[in-house]
Amino acid sequence: MRQQLFEQQHRQAWEDLQGWLEERPTLNPEDVPPAYRQLCHHLAVARERHYSPALVERLQQLALRLHQRIYGERGEGLLGALRFLWQDLPRQVRGEWRLVAVSGLLFFGTWIGAFLLVRADPNLVHLMLSPEEAARYVQMYDPKTPVAGAMGATRDVMMFGWYILNNVGIDFQIFASGLLAGIGPLFFLPFNGLHGGAVMAHLTNQGLTATFYGFISGHSSFELIGGVLSGAGGLRMGLSLMHPGRRSRVAALREGARKGARLLFGAVVLTFVAACFEGFWSGNALVPWKAKVAVGLAFWTLLALWLLLAGRRGR
Amino acid sequence: MTNLPTPSDPSRIQWAAEQAEALRTEIHRALVGQEAVVGQVLAAFLAGGHVLLEGVPGLGKTLLVRALATTFQGAFARIQFTPDLMPSDVMGHAVWDMKSEQFHLRKGPVFTNLLLADEVNRAPAKTQAALLEVMQEQQVSLEGRTLPVEAPFMVLATQNPIEQEGTYPLPEAQLDRFLLKVQMGYPDASEEAAMVRQVTTDTIGDALRVEGVRPLMAAPEVLELQRLAASVRVDDAVLDYAVRVVRATRQWPGIAIGAGPRGAIALVRVVRAHALLEGRDFATPDDVKSLALPALRHRLQRSPETEIEGLGSDDLLQAILAKVPAPRA
Amino acid sequence: MQPIDTVRTIETPEGVELHLRPAGPVVRLWAFFVDQVVVWMGLILFGIGLAYLGPLGLGLWFILFFLAQWLYPVFFEVLGGGRTLGKRWLNLRVLMTDGRPVGWSPSLIRNLLRVVDGLPGAYTVGLVSTLLTRDFQRIGDIVAGTLVVHEEAGVQAPVLPLAEPVAPTLALTLEEQSAILAFAERSPRFTAARSEELADVLSPLSGARGAGGLKVVLGMARYLWGGR
Amino acid sequence: MKPGTMGFVPRARTAMEAVDLGLGLLQAHWRPVAGVWGLQVLFLLGLFLPFLFRTPLWCLLGYWWLKPWLDRGVLFVLSRAVFGQSASVWDFLREWRAVHRRGLAAGLLWRRLSPLRSYVLPIFQLEGLHGAGYRQRARVLTRQSAGAGFLLTCSGWLFTLMTLVGFLALLQGMMPPGSRVELWSGFDTMTLGFQWFLTAVGILALTLTEPLFVAGGFGLYLNRRTHLEGWDLELAFRRLAARLSLVVLLLLGARSLGAQEPPPAPDGEPVVQAEGAPPTPKHPAEGPLRPQEEAHQRAQRILKEDPAFRHTEEIRVLSYEPTGREPHWLRSFLDFFFAKKEPAKPSGSRNLDFLKGLWDLIALVGKVMLVGGLLAFVLWLIYRFRHRLGLPVAREPDWEAPAAVAGLDIRPESLPPDVPAAARHLFVRGEPRAALALLYRAALAELVHRKGMEIPASATEGDCLRAAGDHLDPGPAAIFKTLTLTWQRLAYKDDLPTREAFEGLCEAWPAAFGGRS
């Protein structure tokens, strides 16, 4: 068949498809897949018959755009995200409990270790904190220093923004650095753990329990578990790189990154919630600190229950 | 071996129940655990129907079938379905005999009592169709001759739920030919331990041990049992319940195509056999309830939304059973 | 040795081959540059506006900064058909390696792994990675299974120059027919002298040289295309 | 060189894609490029060796300035690659003169800073044009992709810079954290050691990125010629012509033919180009450091290294200036509402305070709305999707005792006060079915209403029996089982119980299901 005839016969079909792509539909949606298959056929024919390069290229590009459109990933939307949080994430955390446990141990283990050490010997704090830092923390939680919440709502919003920028960014960095053979989390988690534990013990030694525990208890569960999860996500990625199993390293890595990113997503949500509490609740001076601690403990319990139990029932 | 009781004998139900119980016991000698699966397969056997067994490899499907064959001294054949399996490999074909200068029919493996069609979804459609035709007609057409397959005849086809690649899924319409679709799950821990112990003790290699199974009866007794199963009384209320369950599948949201009338017929058939296995000569709604899943799960077509949500046929059937009121006697 | 080309061929489920044209580090550097300019312009403008709100504004600015730093590319890539503003400017697009549009999760992964590509200080890892991989993928691309490609330009059907159709004097192979057609399609963009020069190569076939030869070759193209 | 084979696919590409084509050529032929390039770099470094120790930064400048000379090696290899040939170092040495004869001086002097350096390099190196011919050709070729060529040149700088910074950062990162060596501060002091270091890193960065630049420019050049001249078509036509006749038709102008053959055939054209050694720096920097400088540096070093001077910490705090007074939004809020009955502050600053309070109030309202809205949204979402989330959902409708199970009315009010007596009565009256039904449903009613057993309407007798096992003691459970079996035989088989059996059930009934009898 001559090219001209070929073009004449099928031009309408191509233009219809083009129109569908450009949102001026002359085609019913159910007619698109057959028309697309037809187009693929035309493309193959045009290549086989060596029609002019411009025609082949035109068909090729049309097919490519349709391919992208037709095989586009359908998002699960809001519902998917919620189901993920409620079912899939706790399931995955339980499924990857070894990694989560390692990550948690690196973080909380060093935290508790540093806390106990500094409690036992207050001077040890200088191993982990410089004197200025230590003094700054003491000053920050001095009951005489006004805490954030007492400074009005605008400050709350500012702190909220800062917490999101800083804390979620840290989560992202812990995760991404997991690609370096998992070294990132292996470094960041104990580092943050030691630091946190030392600060906590130091402030306890200084007798600042009310302000300090009052401030951190509300959001601590979300933030710390978020850190542990992003660490686990990073470890997952690093582990896939080091031990690809029976897959190629790249394929294993791809899979590992997908799984890790899911943990990270959970971590980000948790950290976001933490920032909300940290900005708007933790610094609130109107609530007595014991109530805050009680609320904080309740959140710890709820989160633990969520991770342990949610999504256990099958579909 | 038991003597056949006369049909009028009031103790015949008693006899049947004993036989059924003995069958069950013997099979369990070879196959540890899987109570539900054995019960369902026996029910299908007594109802004279065929079974589609689904489960991952290594759960003892072959063992079950061989044990069943041993109990009634029936012939047993096994065909491994492969992509290059031809219909003649199943049915048989004519061979030219040089000496007698005649065509001889060489009968295929279907001429048996119990046929295990392993991984039936690996063979191309025409081979599947040949097998399904034998199941339906109980006879084989070879070279223009019609050869009946000896009763009792039962096909147990297996398929593997995980390997879907390179397989030819059985067409929905033909799934109807199977009386039950039995799902074989993993045994629980204690059963698995017992199974491993049994398989690894005194066994060389992977040989299946069915020597422990004693023959209990012969083909005539089996036929008598099947006849008795068919005569189990089904009260109108029970029948009505079964029909209501089947009809509910057609209006249920999430089911694109429900079970047809053949589904209800199959359900009642197997309910009769089940009652007999339980030692009763009458069926109760409980029989219906306990067999609705295997009898109907392969006769439904889920709607796309349901598939996306990941709800299985079993989930839908459970929901239906929980909604359909039990019969009013 | 296979001739070098700038396409990567994917096969669709329909059994046809489609061409993607991976984009190299040079053009991607500029896309990144444009993105950065846009982002920082936005941040500065908002910063000036928000400065009037005091700490509240600062807080909002922090959130904006966070979004711009981490999520700006993700949003644009997923919702903007694989294109951030910079990529749009330079006609680039992010796709999965099999030609599908990029989804949330791959986009998030590829953009978070900028942390790794950015090592040790100024995207050196990313640059080296794009140079070492066949399809110019940086680490984030490899892990997420994505590809940055040149956007197709949108070819409109070229008009063949008018000429009296001439039947070739001898049977031509398909490749030769295709070359003659391509010549006719592109000849308007050559200089007249160059067109004639090219047509002269075919003088054994056309039997004429110079402008006459060109006319015959164009006529053959017309004939091959289908004119009578 | 066979005219038919090409090392790349000539297509009409966009300019940026053409750059990528050049990079693709480089990727495919990196080994010979690296060979030739390495040789040249070693030669150059050898040339610089005498000056390297004294005035390293001048060497770096010289190296940078001489890049156009280095580029020629890369272009030589790539131009061979265009025709599918792999050039070796030996080829390069053999063609040494041809490679360098054209336009080297111009390239190193007045064309050194051309923004399209790599784009136009092939014109004089491969096409051998110079003077007016070159200018005209360059004008034609760069008419369209000049923008891309310029971007490419900028990319070259940026890549070099990125590599440089990357190396520095890498080295800095590898310093042990305690060593306190700040590479970046070296830029302030510029010791000789640091100059060496900088030169080494700079040469490394230039060496790594320059071939990219050359390859990209060559890609642009190739593509432009494809656009302008239809190379690909010419090749196809030549094949066709060759097939047509055995006569080799070489009627093309010498120019376009010459352009096809990189490098140009060494004909006797007496073009003399300045060649030979690259310009060596005439004035090596002044001798050793002057005394004042030395003293200054020693002081710096002491400041830097002696711990006594070195206790500086970088502290990053997100600080906010203290407000002094509490903002007292609450008081302002009250003031606002209660018409300022009690001025809280001295009146001088009251007005301002009021505004401030108002602002705080607005922020507070905004915050409450933000948080409240978020909370409400989350709650709504949970409520909306409670089914999908697998939350415990209240049964719809809330479970209530069914009026009938298995078709039997089990409401307490439908039962007679003395069940066994009523059943006996019915049995005697010749309605055994009703009698047994009464016993069974009364037992169920008892279980449902007294023992709190939950039976949905879809429960069969078997379900009831199983459920009853959890709610009854073994004794009554056994009786319930007998009762169920008897009832089933009657219901589904019309099998009447014997009188004794019935009597037995009646007698056992009150004890088992006690309540009302």
Side-chain angles (χ1 to χ4, degrees), chain D residues 133-151:
Chain D
Y134 161 79
R135 276 193 294 280
Q136 196 205 340
R137 183 87 177 125
R139 212 169 27 247
V140 172
L141 274 185
T142 58
R143 193 173 292 149
Q144 249 171 26
S145 306
F150 179 64
L151 282 187

Side-chain angles (χ1 to χ4, degrees), chain B residues 109-164:
Chain B
V110 283
F111 292 91
T112 182
N113 293 121
L114 275 185
L115 176 66
L116 177 64
D118 240 346
E119 302 194 84
V120 69
N121 52 348
R122 285 204 173 276
K126 59 181 176 187
T127 310
Q128 291 174 357
L131 176 69
L132 291 164
E133 190 192 325
V134 186
M135 285 163 48
Q136 174 90 342
E137 313 281 338
Q138 300 263 6
Q139 61 186 24
V140 179
S141 300
L142 269 183
E143 305 291 323
R145 285 169 59 191
T146 305
L147 304 172
V149 179
E150 254 179 75
F153 173 62
M154 179 181 188
V155 173
L156 288 105
T158 71
Q159 60 181 16
N160 186 340
I162 42 175
E163 285 177 278
Q164 288 303 325

Side-chain angles (χ1 to χ4, degrees), chain D residues 255-300:
Chain D
R255 201 196 68 193
S256 70
L257 191 64
Q260 289 247 342
E261 292 178 15
D267 53 68
E269 205 182 332
V271 181
V272 181
Q273 303 279 3
E275 49 189 301
T280 50
K282 289 251 166 52
H283 306 284
E286 323 272 315
L289 297 166
R290 282 167 307 194
Q292 291 99 316
E293 252 181 49
E294 231 167 28
H296 175 71
Q297 289 198 348
R298 195 176 305 139
Q300 285 284 329

Side-chain angles (χ1 to χ4, degrees), chain B residues 233-235 237-238 241 281-286 289 309 321-329, chain D residues 388 396 404 406-407 433 456-463 466 485 487-489 491-494:
Chain B
R233 176 187 158 128
V234 179
D235 194 80
V238 179
Y241 179 55
D281 58 347
F282 60 97
T284 66
D286 284 304
K289 214 169 191 176
E309 280 188 29
L321 288 176
K323 277 285 179 207
V324 175
R328 307 160 181 286
Chain D
R388 316 277 191 110
E396 296 170 306
R433 197 181 172 95
S458 65
T460 53
E461 289 90 352
D463 294 330
R466 269 187 296 281
L485 291 180
W487 160 246
Q488 278 183 325
R489 294 188 77 83
Y492 302 116
K493 201 194 167 190
D494 286 338

Side-chain angles (χ1 to χ4, degrees), chain A residues 78-79 82-83 86-87 132 136 150-156 158-159 162 276 280 313, chain D residues 311 315 317-318 320-321 323 326-327 359 363-364 367 371 381 385 388-392:
Chain A
L78 197 57
L79 179 61
L82 287 176
R83 184 172 12 195
W86 186 250
Q87 285 187 345
E132 288 86 358
R136 190 160 51 81
M151 304 230 191
T154 60
R155 304 263 166 200
D156 288 0
M158 179 186 82
M159 294 314 290
W162 169 251
C276 290
F280 298 131
R313 255 191 308 165
Chain D
H311 201 90
I315 297 174
V317 196
L318 182 78
Y320 31 85
E321 70 282 20
T323 48
E326 305 271 320
W359 174 239
L364 175 76
K367 169 180 151 184
V371 175
L381 282 178
F385 296 115
R388 316 277 191 110
L389 291 173
L391 286 177

Side-chain angles (χ1 to χ4, degrees), chain B residues 23-47:
Chain B
L23 273 179
R24 207 192 278 263
T25 320
E26 284 307 315
I27 289 174
H28 277 305
R29 269 181 212 277
L31 180 75
V32 181
Q34 304 282 16
E35 302 275 346
V37 172
V38 171
Q40 288 167 4
V41 168
L42 275 179
F45 180 56
L46 292 190

Side-chain angles (χ1 to χ4, degrees), chain D residues 367-377:
Chain D
K367 169 180 151 184
V368 166
M369 276 166 65
L370 195 76
V371 175
L374 211 67
L375 209 65
F377 180 64

